[in-house]
Amino acid sequence: GESVGLHLPTLSVQEGDNSIINCAYSNSASDYFIWYKQESGKGPQFIIDIRSNMDKRQGQRVTVLLNKTVKHLSLQIAATQPGDSAVYFCAENGSGANSKLTFGKGITLSVRP
Amino acid sequence: DADVTQTPRNRITKTGKRIMLECSQTKGHDRMYWYRQDPGLGLRLIYYSFDVKDINKGEISDGYSVSRQAQAKFSLSLESAIPNQTALYFCATSDRGLYGYTFGSGTRLTVV
């Protein structure tokens, strides 16, 4: 069946380094992708999105890359800070007006001081 | 005030009890969702509603029911709670034609 998954369950990075979180998706019809951040005790919060007609989108300290050829999505965080420590989810939205988001299982980012 | 408000934030209940989790939103969104989050399993969809007269089962609806009382309100009920329903529950909303979801802060439910 279709699925969205993350390659690694945890990622530990040094403060100040760049972080890269990867996500594989299998629904080739998906036309919209989102990264969410979930801090402890809170609900997931939108970070950045990208549509399938793009391969890169930048925000403040974050960049999302989409490779439709290999169905791969990544989130890059520049100059990782302690406040970036959280669980990160990728999500995909299939095409169609009534499609819904499918979420990956999440990866924990831990920032070492 | 939060855009999506869930009540209660935490609840401990006994096996067999009926419990209702409530969600209200000020976003004006048509679409509302209930998700369950368990460690290692990510977010799993329980029920969703695309408008007030629309209710749909998600991937894990057994043991749950919902009510869409108004555009802004979507409640989740456990008719007879069981321990494996212990989890973190999230309500989310989205607007028609736009795909990003706005999540509430969650309800941590423990069934003993």
Side-chain angles (χ1 to χ4, degrees), chain A residues 31-32 34 36 38 41-46 51 89 93-94 96-106, chain B residues 9 31 33 35 37 40-43 45 48 50 88 90 96-106 108:
Chain A
D31 63 357
Y32 180 69
I34 308 174
Y36 283 91
Q38 185 178 18
K42 297 182 180 180
Q45 293 181 296
F46 174 95
R51 297 196 180 275
F89 296 93
N93 194 88
N98 293 331
S99 60
K100 301 176 297 300
L101 287 180
T102 299
F103 291 88
K105 289 181 170 52
Chain B
R9 288 298 311 275
R31 302 182 175 191
Y33 311 82
Y35 283 89
Q37 187 177 42
L41 295 178
L43 290 162
L45 183 62
Y48 63 101
F50 279 177
L88 192 54
F90 286 103
R96 187 178 307 162
L98 299 176
Y99 303 129
Y101 291 6
T102 301
F103 285 86
S105 296
R108 184 169 296 279

Side-chain angles (χ1 to χ4, degrees), chain B residues 1-86:
Chain B
D1 290 340
D3 292 327
V4 181
T5 302
Q6 292 185 234
T7 56
R9 288 298 311 275
N10 293 281
R11 179 73 181 266
I12 300 174
T13 192
K14 294 183 178 180
T15 299
K17 292 292 187 181
R18 183 180 188 275
I19 183 170
M20 178 181 290
L21 309 183
E22 298 188 4
C23 176
S24 62
Q25 52 118 345
T26 59
K27 302 283 288 184
H29 288 169
D30 289 324
R31 302 182 175 191
M32 298 187 74
Y33 311 82
W34 275 104
Y35 283 89
R36 168 177 173 160
Q37 187 177 42
D38 298 275
L41 295 178
L43 290 162
R44 293 184 291 168
L45 183 62
I46 305 172
Y47 271 95
Y48 63 101
S49 168
F50 279 177
D51 63 43
V52 174
K53 297 180 181 180
D54 178 70
I55 299 290
N56 303 282
K57 293 183 177 180
E59 59 183 295
I60 55 164
S61 60
D62 288 348
Y64 302 94
S65 62
V66 291
S67 174
R68 185 81 184 267
Q69 300 96 323
Q71 186 203 38
K73 296 183 181 297
F74 192 37
S75 60
L76 176 72
S77 294
L78 287 67
E79 296 300 326
S80 180
I82 56 177
N84 76 0
Q85 292 177 311
T86 293

Side-chain angles (χ1 to χ4, degrees), chain A residues 35-111:
Chain A
W35 280 101
Y36 283 91
K37 173 185 181 183
Q38 185 178 18
E39 297 175 277
S40 180
K42 297 182 180 180
Q45 293 181 296
F46 174 95
I47 302 174
I48 191 168
D49 60 0
I50 189 168
R51 297 196 180 275
S52 59
N53 61 352
M54 303 172 68
D55 54 21
K56 180 179 180 179
R57 188 159 189 236
Q58 289 185 293
Q60 187 176 13
R61 283 202 307 119
V62 295
T63 301
V64 55
L65 299 176
L66 175 63
N67 186 330
K68 294 181 289 293
T69 301
V70 295
K71 298 176 190 170
H72 185 267
L73 189 70
S74 68
L75 176 69
Q76 299 179 359
I77 304 174
T80 311
Q81 302 170 359
D84 295 326
S85 294
V87 176
Y88 290 81
F89 296 93
C90 64
E92 63 175 326
N93 194 88
S95 61
N98 293 331
S99 60
K100 301 176 297 300
L101 287 180
T102 299
F103 291 88
K105 289 181 170 52
I107 182 169
T108 300
L109 177 65
S110 177
V111 181

